[in-house]
Amino acid sequence: MSARRGAAAYAKGHAKGAGAYARVGVESGVMAASPHQLIVMLFDGAQAAIRAARLHIEQGNTAGKGQSISKALDIVNNGLAAALDEEKGGEVATQLAGLYDYIGRRLLQANLRNDTDALDEAERLLEDIGSAWREIGRADQGG
């Protein structure tokens, strides 16, 4: 085996190993996270997916854009919105549910029309809600 092929094989195997290590790190983080931290992780994941979608739009990668927007939608609909407790959260939970629905519609529009303005708005809204959520966590920890 040539040195070049050996290095390429190692790099490929190393990349797989790094990916597995990252997955274990994320899974460990999720397992150790409080419910509050899990919500923060959902906000972070949705925003990362939106940033990836924006890059895919700029690069003309339709499949990548669709996958990234689908991931963001999944996090918003099946993570953030599903975590709402309208009995305990009352009016705030109801308003957040409406806002998550709106964000989902903006993400769908971004996907259908390559609309980066819709992506920007969805990302801004998620950042606003997420930063408020982070502040609640700091206040609860006395920080």
Side-chain angles (χ1 to χ4, degrees), residues 12 18 26 33-34 41 50 63 76 79 83 85 111 113 119 140-141:
K12 186 176 180 182
V26 168
S34 70
M41 293 170 88
I50 291 170
V76 169
D85 184 340
N111 194 30
R113 299 185 180 145
L119 282 180
D140 286 348
Q141 295 174 356

Side-chain angles (χ1 to χ4, degrees), residues 9-123:
Y10 173 75
K12 186 176 180 182
H14 182 62
K16 285 182 183 177
Y21 179 78
R23 280 190 303 280
V24 168
V26 168
E27 289 169 9
S28 297
V30 167
M31 297 299 287
S34 70
H36 189 277
Q37 291 167 321
L38 290 173
I39 298 297
V40 169
M41 293 170 88
L42 289 172
F43 280 112
D44 292 345
Q47 289 177 293
I50 291 170
R51 286 190 297 273
R54 185 178 300 106
L55 289 173
H56 290 305
I57 288 172
E58 291 169 2
Q59 296 167 354
N61 180 351
T62 304
K65 172 202 67 172
Q67 290 172 341
S68 294
I69 290 176
S70 290
K71 182 176 181 179
L73 275 166
D74 190 38
I75 292 169
V76 169
N77 293 330
N78 299 319
L80 295 169
L84 294 173
D85 184 340
E86 292 195 31
E87 282 184 35
K88 291 180 182 175
E91 185 64 26
V92 171
T94 301
Q95 290 177 356
L96 281 172
L99 193 52
Y100 292 148
D101 181 63
Y102 176 75
I103 290 168
R105 285 185 277 127
R106 294 299 282 158
L107 289 170
L108 287 171
Q109 181 178 11
N111 194 30
L112 291 171
R113 299 185 180 145
N114 290 330
D115 186 344
T116 56
D117 289 339
L119 282 180
D120 292 343
E121 183 179 14
E123 186 177 21

